[in-house]
Amino acid sequence: MSKTNQKVKEPIISIKEMNKYYGDFHALTNIDLEVNIGERIVICGPSGSGKSTLIRCLNRLEAHQSGSVIVNGVELHQHMKDIDKVRSEVGMVFQHFNLFPHMTVLENCTAGPMWVNKVPPVEAHEIAMKYLERVNIPEQADKYPAQLSGGQQQRVAIARSLCMNPKVMLFDEPTSALDPEMVAEVLDTMTDLAQSGMTMIVVTHEMGFAKQVADRVIFMDEGKIIEANEPIAFFENPQSERTKKFLSQVLVH
Amino acid sequence: MIKDTVTEDLLLRKPTFIAFLFATVLVCFLIFDPSQSLIGHLLEPALGDPDTSGLYGRFVTSFMLAVLMVLNLLAISLIPNFRLQVICVWIELLILFLSFFYSFDLSFEFIRSKIWFMVTQGIFTTLYVSAISIVIASFIAIIGAVAKMSSNGFAYAIASFYTSFFRGLPLLMQVYLIYLGFPQIGYVIDAVPAGIIALSLCYGAYMTEIFRAGIMSIDAGQWEGSRALGFKFSLIMRKIILPQSIPLIIPPTGNQFIAMLKDSSLVSVIGVWELMFLARTLGNKTFNHMEMLITAAMLYWMMTMVLELIQSRIERKYQKRQSR
């Protein structure tokens, strides 16, 4: 694997002592995490463990209540002025794709560059086609999202994020809403992206993907990071009882 | 609505239902006594003078009418084509209504002499007052809807006060308040602008709720997807949310426009020469009130039918776009 390419030890995301509450519910407890440029991180854990909440805090789709979250050198807080700039540099792929149904695939992809980065239309078109080719669906450019399969829609969503030329990509259970036969095409796209050196944080239940691609696997339960390790050590020699139990449940087949 | 693939038997194929229907119709006619009606006069050779034929005449005419009506219903129920059936029922109901109006003994001569003026002056004014008002109301509604969803206390307070006040007052009162109230603060306002302001403010309040519901019904994922790309609020609203809520907003807005077209008759009280004003004033001199009222009624009806047609066209266009 090309995991050994040299990485600059420079955190693009740095979370310190972060806590998040929903009312009285303590959703995330004392999260500490640093993500370096080029690093691929997979977050796993049972449902309700706070994995999605954690990565949604990284572009402030969710607010944290204490501690600090620094993304690309900018600390995220309630009264910040330039959240849109941070968000435009952090790509996010959602479980339910969240494509814009009233716009064609191409328009979905050109919208970000044109409206946020003020790229001229011709250039935005070129960028969009470049990334649609990269996710292998340039021929669908003029269709509407509803005309595509789930796997194709998710690949469009990945292309849409890439068009913004992000510094880091967040994936929030990108294959959970897909029919089984479409999971592979999306994972292949993501693996391809990982090999190109993109910094990625992926919340997923696909343990095969974690083994193959991740530099670090993080296990979360009840809003806490229980264990974080390199994939080989994580899968073959889990330290905590809860990790062992979780792995025995998801790796039975 | 999704139709079931299994249908029940027609009620009109069940003898008990037909008997029940016949009995009900017969009783109704007996109560209303149709012996003085057209049918009663047609039966005069058999029954004698309707004034003297008494209970017997009353029963026979009612019986004949009930038989005719049930036969008519059965005949219509035998038409196999749905469209044809609908058209038949429409025509029969229309004839019933028109004969009701006809029985008023109207002077068509008078109607003919005034109708051109009613169309050019009345319909024209009604339409342009309504059209301008619905456009202004839509703008108010977008702003009101956004303000009502805002976390800004001032915006929410002003918007909710506005909708509460203008939905809480009768439109007629708003028309008076604006027309007579502005001069009190030293600003004399013409009747037409006063009417437009009243209609816009009142319907803007109702449409605020329609727009708010339309915006709220868009999936939260659309907001998150847009924000994750770095879009600002106004951009998300203009390019992502509103275009998707417009197909949801159009049917109730069409309804509001049709309602406004008729409520615009209320501005006649401040002397705007729209359809209702003409209907009340044109017949005054010669006591042809009924003629003008019925003409205006028919004109209102025709306008709303045209609008309904346009509305369904627009709806179909958006449906097509969604199913692409």
Side-chain angles (χ1 to χ4, degrees):
Chain A
M1 287 296 337
S2 60
K3 270 183 216 167
T4 44
N5 56 3
Q6 78 265 43
K7 279 156 205 155
V8 195
K9 282 283 176 191
E10 181 190 330
I12 184 144
I13 289 173
S14 160
I15 308 171
K16 287 198 181 72
E17 286 287 307
M18 188 204 18
N19 283 279
K20 160 142 195 80
Y21 303 83
Y22 288 114
D24 289 337
F25 178 67
H26 203 161
L28 293 173
T29 310
N30 292 333
I31 302 289
D32 281 298
L33 180 66
E34 288 210 338
V35 180
N36 297 315
I37 288 179
E39 204 175 8
R40 276 88 62 161
I41 290 185
V42 166
I43 304 176
C44 60
S47 68
S49 58
K51 342 179 263 299
S52 289
T53 309
L54 174 58
I55 71 164
R56 288 162 60 86
C57 284
L58 299 182
N59 60 358
R60 218 179 152 85
L61 286 183
E62 301 277 355
H64 58 276
Q65 275 74 40
S66 71
S68 72
V69 177
I70 297 169
V71 175
N72 201 19
V74 181
E75 180 169 0
L76 307 187
H77 59 90
Q78 197 184 346
H79 299 291
M80 59 189 301
K81 294 270 183 289
D82 41 6
I83 184 64
D84 297 321
K85 183 159 188 311
V86 175
R87 283 172 176 164
S88 71
E89 290 172 343
V90 178
M92 188 161 199
V93 175
F94 298 87
Q95 183 177 359
H96 296 288
F97 331 133
N98 296 354
L99 293 174
F100 308 130
H102 59 302
M103 293 155 66
T104 63
V105 164
L106 187 67
E107 287 165 347
N108 265 277
C109 291
T110 54
M114 277 167 59
W115 298 343
V116 178
N117 296 345
K118 308 294 174 204
V119 173
V122 181
E123 210 176 307
H125 186 275
E126 279 167 17
I127 296 172
M129 287 313 293
K130 182 175 116 193
Y131 286 109
L132 285 174
E133 265 158 41
R134 181 141 172 210
V135 300
N136 286 322
I137 37 175
E139 72 282 0
Q140 312 284 6
D142 293 323
K143 289 196 179 164
Y144 284 83
Q147 293 170 303
L148 306 184
S149 72
Q152 289 173 322
Q153 290 191 44
Q154 193 59 296
R155 285 187 282 148
V156 172
I158 293 172
R160 179 175 75 173
S161 292
L162 290 176
C163 286
M164 297 296 288
N165 197 18
K167 298 214 163 59
V168 51
M169 286 283 286
L170 310 175
F171 292 84
D172 187 2
E173 304 205 25
T175 57
S176 299
L178 297 177
D179 289 334
E181 76 271 22
M182 292 167 186
V183 171
E185 60 186 79
V186 171
L187 290 181
D188 284 348
T189 308
M190 288 165 63
T191 308
D192 178 55
L193 189 61
Q195 276 160 3
S196 75
M198 175 63 76
T199 312
M200 291 164 70
I201 304 176
V202 183
V203 170
T204 186
H205 297 290
E206 298 293 334
M207 291 302 127
F209 176 80
K211 277 181 194 167
Q212 196 192 343
V213 173
D215 295 313
R216 244 193 306 167
V217 182
I218 291 172
F219 174 70
M220 288 182 72
D221 195 14
E222 293 176 344
K224 298 186 189 80
I225 294 181
I226 305 294
E227 192 163 343
N229 215 335
E230 296 194 345
I232 298 170
F234 179 85
F235 287 107
E236 285 171 10
N237 189 20
Q239 301 297 308
S240 121
E241 281 308 312
R242 274 192 272 184
T243 317
K244 284 178 194 162
K245 184 160 171 270
F246 176 76
L247 286 177
S248 74
Q249 282 164 339
V250 294
L251 295 175
V252 272
H253 2 265
Chain B
M1 197 176 79
I2 309 296
K3 271 193 214 121
D4 201 340
T5 50
V6 177
T7 46
E8 277 185 44
D9 280 346
L10 267 183
L11 276 174
L12 278 169
R13 296 283 177 281
K14 294 178 182 160
T16 43
F17 178 76
I18 295 173
F20 172 75
L21 190 70
F22 181 78
T24 318
V25 175
L26 183 59
V27 168
C28 289
F29 278 131
L30 277 175
I31 294 170
F32 285 109
D33 187 8
S35 51
Q36 298 288 340
S37 71
L38 191 67
I39 292 282
H41 285 285
L42 283 176
L43 286 170
E44 211 174 317
L47 298 170
D49 187 2
D51 290 332
T52 57
S53 60
L55 268 180
Y56 172 67
R58 189 168 171 167
F59 180 77
V60 171
T61 26
S62 303
F63 190 83
M64 292 299 287
L65 275 170
V67 168
L68 275 178
M69 188 155 170
V70 171
L71 281 179
N72 176 37
L73 287 180
L74 283 173
I76 290 174
S77 79
L78 286 175
I79 300 173
N81 181 311
F82 178 80
R83 261 187 95 83
L84 215 60
Q85 217 171 25
V86 171
I87 291 171
C88 273
V89 176
W90 256 84
I91 290 175
E92 286 198 0
L93 289 173
L94 192 65
I95 289 172
L96 276 181
F97 264 87
L98 289 182
S99 55
F100 172 61
F101 291 148
Y102 188 76
S103 69
F104 295 166
D105 202 12
L106 303 175
S107 157
F108 290 99
E109 194 58 40
F110 185 77
I111 293 179
R112 217 167 299 136
S113 71
K114 299 289 183 196
I115 191 154
W116 182 239
F117 185 60
M118 285 187 97
V119 171
T120 50
Q121 171 66 37
I123 289 197
F124 176 72
T125 311
T126 294
L127 277 179
Y128 93 72
V129 166
S130 307
I132 294 175
S133 302
I134 201 86
V135 171
I136 300 175
S138 299
F139 277 111
I140 295 176
I142 293 178
I143 297 166
V146 172
K148 266 206 139 177
M149 291 183 291
S150 152
S151 51
N152 181 318
F154 287 105
Y156 179 82
I158 292 169
S160 55
F161 185 88
Y162 160 69
T163 51
S164 167
F165 185 81
F166 282 95
R167 289 205 299 176
L169 259 64
L171 179 54
L172 183 59
M173 212 169 275
Q174 294 174 29
V175 173
Y176 276 129
L177 282 179
I178 287 168
Y179 186 57
L180 303 175
F182 270 91
Q184 299 293 321
I185 53 171
Y187 186 80
V188 178
I189 187 166
D190 278 345
V192 171
I196 289 175
I197 291 173
L199 284 169
S200 307
L201 287 175
C202 181
Y203 275 79
Y206 284 104
M207 284 168 60
T208 294
E209 295 300 316
I210 292 173
F211 275 61
R212 192 175 66 100
I215 292 168
M216 299 255 285
S217 65
I218 301 302
D219 182 48
Q222 293 293 311
W223 287 96
E224 293 184 346
S226 319
R227 283 201 186 119
L229 287 169
F231 294 177
K232 290 190 192 311
F233 176 82
S234 66
L235 185 69
I236 301 177
M237 212 59 190
R238 274 186 297 122
K239 298 281 196 172
I240 307 297
I241 303 298
L242 280 180
Q244 290 185 64
S245 21
I246 278 174
L248 304 165
I249 290 172
I250 279 184
T253 300
N255 270 341
Q256 292 292 311
F257 186 58
I258 289 171
M260 179 189 275
L261 196 76
K262 290 173 294 168
D263 276 354
S264 68
S265 60
L266 290 174
V267 304
S268 66
V269 297
I270 53 175
V272 179
W273 280 36
E274 46 70 74
L275 196 48
M276 187 65 202
F277 182 84
L278 297 183
R280 284 193 303 125
T281 49
L282 285 180
N284 261 352
K285 230 177 281 170
T286 46
F287 299 105
N288 290 99
H289 299 292
M290 257 321 180
E291 276 84 351
M292 288 296 94
L293 282 180
I294 287 170
T295 311
M298 290 294 118
L299 290 174
Y300 273 118
W301 192 16
M302 277 188 251
M303 278 195 284
T304 55
M305 276 201 285
V306 171
L307 285 176
E308 275 167 4
L309 208 71
I310 295 172
Q311 188 190 355
S312 70
R313 281 277 163 81
I314 297 174
E315 269 175 53
R316 225 175 304 153
K317 192 183 125 198
Y318 275 106
Q319 269 165 13
K320 240 185 246 160
R321 198 191 273 192
Q322 290 226 304
S323 58
R324 262 191 310 208

